[in-house]
Amino acid sequence: MENYHMLFGTTTQPSSSTSSSYNFMPTAGTTSSSLHGGGSFLAELSNKDAASPPVAGHGESSAGGAAEADRPTVPAGKRKGEKKERRPRYAFQTRSEVDILDDGYRWRKYGQKAVKNNRFPRSYYRCTHQGCNVKKQVQRLSRDEAVVVTTYEGTHTHAIEKSNDNFEHILTQMHIYTAMGSNFSSSHNMFH
DNA sequence: CGATTTTGACCTGCGC
DNA sequence: GCGCAGGTCAAAATCG
C-alpha cells in the first residue's frame, strides 16, 4: 500500500535540494517555554538513566516474548552485573514532510507505539546490518506536524551502503548533540 | 521467495 | 501493590 519511498521530491516546495532544515535540539531548553510537548521530550531524554535494561538486546534471542503457545518461564533478562557499553544517543530535529528520512542506512521497522503527549505514534526502527545494534526512533510533534524528531541510539559499525545526496554528509556531521543521562559533559556548545 | 511491514500482545520500569 | 507509559518481539500479511 504505501508507495511513498523517496523522498523529497514531490512536494510543493521546490526548495533547494533537500529542503529540509536541520535543527539541533538545544540543551538549554529554549523550546521548553511553556510547551508541554517539547519540554516533555527533552525532559525524558535527560531524565532517562540509560541503565541499559538487560532485556534481550543481544546475545541470544532467547524467549523474550511470550509465545502464545508456550508460556515461557523465563523471565526475560536476568543478566546482572553485565553492563555492556553505554549507547550514545543522538537526537535530531528535522523538518520534513515524511517521517522516514533516508540517511543511507537500511532500517527495519520493529514497532510503533503512540505516546501520550503526542497525537502521532512513534515509530521504532532498527539497523538491519548484522552486528549493528543501532536503533532509531522517529517521532512527530503534534504541535508541529512538520517537525520530525529522529533519535539515533548507538553507532553504526559499518559504512553506509548508499551514497545518497549530501544527507549522509550532514548526518555524519550531525553527531553534535548527545542526549545522554551520564555522558554529556562536553559538547555543550553546538558549534565548537 | 525473501525481505519488510503491520498489528497485537507482553514485558519492564517508574510513580503513586 | 497496582497502574501507567514506553519499549520490544512475534506471527501474519504484503510488496518487489
Side-chain angles (χ1 to χ4, degrees), chain A residues 72-136:
Chain A
T73 23
V74 202
K78 230 167 229 158
R79 286 251 196 284
K80 61 185 161 175
E82 286 248 345
K83 253 164 0 105
K84 210 67 215 216
E85 50 229 81
R86 37 202 104 176
R87 253 179 244 227
R89 239 193 315 224
Y90 306 103
F92 310 122
Q93 255 190 66
T94 342
R95 245 182 157 209
S96 185
E97 46 183 280
V98 267
D99 308 8
I100 298 141
L101 292 166
D102 193 11
D103 52 7
Y105 290 101
R106 198 102 174 191
W107 300 96
R108 178 177 110 263
K109 193 202 263 179
Y110 70 88
Q112 188 172 298
K113 191 87 194 241
V115 266
K116 214 167 191 231
N117 275 277
N118 277 19
R119 292 171 28 199
F120 300 100
R122 184 183 290 170
S123 306
Y124 301 92
Y125 297 91
R126 219 169 168 183
C127 189
T128 56
H129 202 94
Q130 206 242 291
C132 199
N133 309 300
V134 182
K135 282 187 275 187
K136 166 170 97 170

Side-chain angles (χ1 to χ4, degrees), chain A residues 33-97:
Chain A
S33 272
S34 44
L35 298 186
H36 260 253
S40 227
F41 178 68
L42 281 168
E44 242 180 326
L45 276 170
S46 47
N47 205 10
K48 251 334 174 299
D49 200 18
S52 257
V55 199
H58 37 71
E60 230 73 309
S61 46
S62 60
E68 39 187 65
D70 240 65
R71 208 345 198 352
T73 23
V74 202
K78 230 167 229 158
R79 286 251 196 284
K80 61 185 161 175
E82 286 248 345
K83 253 164 0 105
K84 210 67 215 216
E85 50 229 81
R86 37 202 104 176
R87 253 179 244 227
R89 239 193 315 224
Y90 306 103
F92 310 122
Q93 255 190 66
T94 342
R95 245 182 157 209
S96 185
E97 46 183 280

Side-chain angles (χ1 to χ4, degrees), chain A residues 114-168:
Chain A
V115 266
K116 214 167 191 231
N117 275 277
N118 277 19
R119 292 171 28 199
F120 300 100
R122 184 183 290 170
S123 306
Y124 301 92
Y125 297 91
R126 219 169 168 183
C127 189
T128 56
H129 202 94
Q130 206 242 291
C132 199
N133 309 300
V134 182
K135 282 187 275 187
K136 166 170 97 170
Q137 68 190 199
V138 181
Q139 173 181 20
R140 203 177 274 234
L141 297 183
S142 52
R143 223 3 207 160
D144 281 304
E145 65 159 80
V147 179
V148 180
V149 181
T150 311
T151 310
Y152 286 85
E153 197 179 313
T155 319
H156 292 282
T157 61
H158 58 100
I160 302 175
E161 68 157 67
K162 233 163 141 186
S163 36
N164 250 341
D165 312 1
N166 31 8
F167 253 75
E168 56 170 292

Side-chain angles (χ1 to χ4, degrees), chain A residues 9-26:
Chain A
T10 43
T11 240
T12 43
Q13 261 193 338
S15 311
S16 25
S17 359
T18 12
S19 81
S20 320
S21 342
Y22 310 100
N23 283 323
F24 306 117
M25 283 214 301

